[in-house]
Amino acid sequence: MTRNRMMLLFDVDGTLTPSRKTISDDMYQFMTQVKETVTCGLVGGSDLKKIAEQIGGMDALFKFQYVFAENGLVAYESGNLINKECIQSHMGEEKLQKFINFSLRYMSDITLPVKRGTFIEFRNGLINVCPVGRSCSQEERDQFGEYDKEHRIREKFIQALEAEFPDSGLAFSIGGQISFDVFPKGWDKTYCLRFVEKDFDTIHFFGDKTDKGGNDYEIYNDHRTIGHKVTSPDDTKAQLKELLGL
Ligand code: M1P
């Protein structure tokens, strides 16, 4: 198999690392070996700082040739910034505030086991909405994750937003454990493909949230990628060994 024009693109949470946790030493070593044989990139919904924390710091992060934070709205090639988009200039302040005001009102009406702080995190290319609050502890994060499985807090919230803003041109995606991402339609993970599609004949994408509503769904199903659904970092490793014959 020729590997010159082949690229491997990885989701972060649940694919290279456990959700919002750091990459294991074993997986880190394995990925170092993979990067020696084929061009690799990362694409995450999180911002650069969070992805770096999970991958072992900025130096470790930029050992990936391509780093696509916030779905590629913030994009790096060989450690150099190649793209930065911002949601406020795309949406306009008025629409943005209507959306934020509605979301804050909606959250003020729900009762959860606990609520902490930072319910809306404003990033470059997306807005992250978090009913429990992003400043919750790991224990509170896990607790919300379980509560949400039973009570579908995020799913119902997204339904309410879709009903309130039917023509907003916004997309909603559940990528992690406690929050969901909001961005203009098309600004999902497929956004990053524009930076690599011409340079590679084959782009393998590995992700865990590949079902409809998950933030890997669009890129996993995109005609420009060969999608690999994984269930954990160990599964990613097993599938890579098979693909690359390592
Ligand atoms: O990368 C997946 C998601 O990771 C975080 O999700 P949560 O905090 O809900 O576990 C967030 O950074 C989210 O934006 C991102 O899509």
Side-chain angles (χ1 to χ4, degrees):
M1 183 195 325
T2 169
R3 290 181 182 163
N4 293 345
R5 304 258 315 162
M6 171 174 154
M7 175 185 190
L8 307 180
L9 193 52
F10 299 93
D11 160 54
V12 181
D13 281 302
T15 299
L16 292 184
T17 77
S19 195
R20 290 297 308 132
K21 292 192 179 139
T22 311
I23 192 165
S24 68
D25 288 345
D26 177 61
M27 193 64 181
Y28 183 86
Q29 297 304 337
F30 178 69
M31 287 309 298
T32 302
Q33 192 189 347
V34 171
K35 278 179 275 173
E36 280 162 12
T37 65
V38 58
T39 302
C40 290
L42 296 179
V43 55
S46 289
D47 57 27
L48 191 74
K49 189 168 164 268
K50 290 191 187 75
I51 298 178
E53 279 163 16
Q54 288 179 262
I55 298 299
M58 284 294 177
D59 288 347
L61 181 64
F62 286 127
K63 290 200 172 113
F64 284 83
Q65 186 163 344
Y66 292 92
V67 176
F68 299 121
E70 302 185 38
N71 297 346
L73 276 307
V74 179
Y76 289 83
E77 182 181 352
S78 306
N80 300 310
L81 185 68
I82 54 168
N83 184 60
K84 198 170 191 177
E85 271 297 338
C86 69
I87 194 167
Q88 63 270 39
S89 48
H90 183 88
M91 276 179 77
E93 192 58 34
E94 195 186 333
K95 261 171 112 181
L96 196 57
Q97 283 200 30
K98 278 191 180 146
F99 176 84
I100 291 174
N101 290 346
F102 179 87
S103 299
L104 290 172
R105 264 198 307 276
Y106 184 94
M107 286 188 277
S108 74
D109 280 337
I110 45 180
T111 301
L112 300 172
V114 301
K115 275 192 189 177
R116 296 299 177 252
T118 316
F119 301 103
I120 293 198
E121 187 174 84
F122 200 80
R123 301 186 187 157
N124 291 289
L126 60 85
I127 300 168
N128 180 261
V129 182
C130 183
V132 62
R134 296 207 64 80
S135 66
C136 64
S137 65
Q138 182 62 47
E139 200 184 336
E140 290 158 352
R141 165 180 273 276
D142 294 340
Q143 180 189 42
F144 177 85
E146 287 309 308
Y147 189 82
D148 188 52
K149 277 184 200 151
E150 195 184 333
H151 298 278
R152 298 172 27 248
I153 300 293
R154 290 181 292 175
E155 208 182 304
K156 289 181 196 160
F157 195 164
I158 290 173
Q159 282 166 6
L161 286 164
E162 283 170 338
E164 182 70 18
F165 302 104
D167 305 314
S168 64
L170 292 173
F172 306 92
S173 144
I174 297 180
Q177 195 181 14
I178 55 170
S179 63
F180 60 89
D181 296 329
V182 184
F183 44 80
K185 284 192 176 131
W187 287 20
D188 52 64
K189 287 187 182 176
T190 60
Y191 185 94
C192 76
L193 295 175
R194 68 192 65 195
F195 304 114
V196 287
E197 62 184 323
K198 287 193 184 66
D199 295 327
F200 298 95
D201 297 329
T202 320
I203 302 171
H204 290 270
F205 170 76
F206 295 77
D208 66 324
K209 300 252 175 3
T210 56
D211 294 340
K212 202 162 174 44
N215 69 347
D216 296 325
Y217 175 78
E218 292 84 2
I219 190 168
Y220 173 79
N221 288 293
D222 193 281
H223 69 277
R224 293 166 290 179
T225 64
I226 297 174
H228 301 264
K229 182 181 178 60
V230 302
T231 53
S232 64
D234 283 346
D235 187 31
T236 306
K237 185 176 172 185
Q239 292 198 37
L240 279 171
K241 279 186 166 177
E242 193 170 329
L243 178 73
L244 303 173
L246 293 173

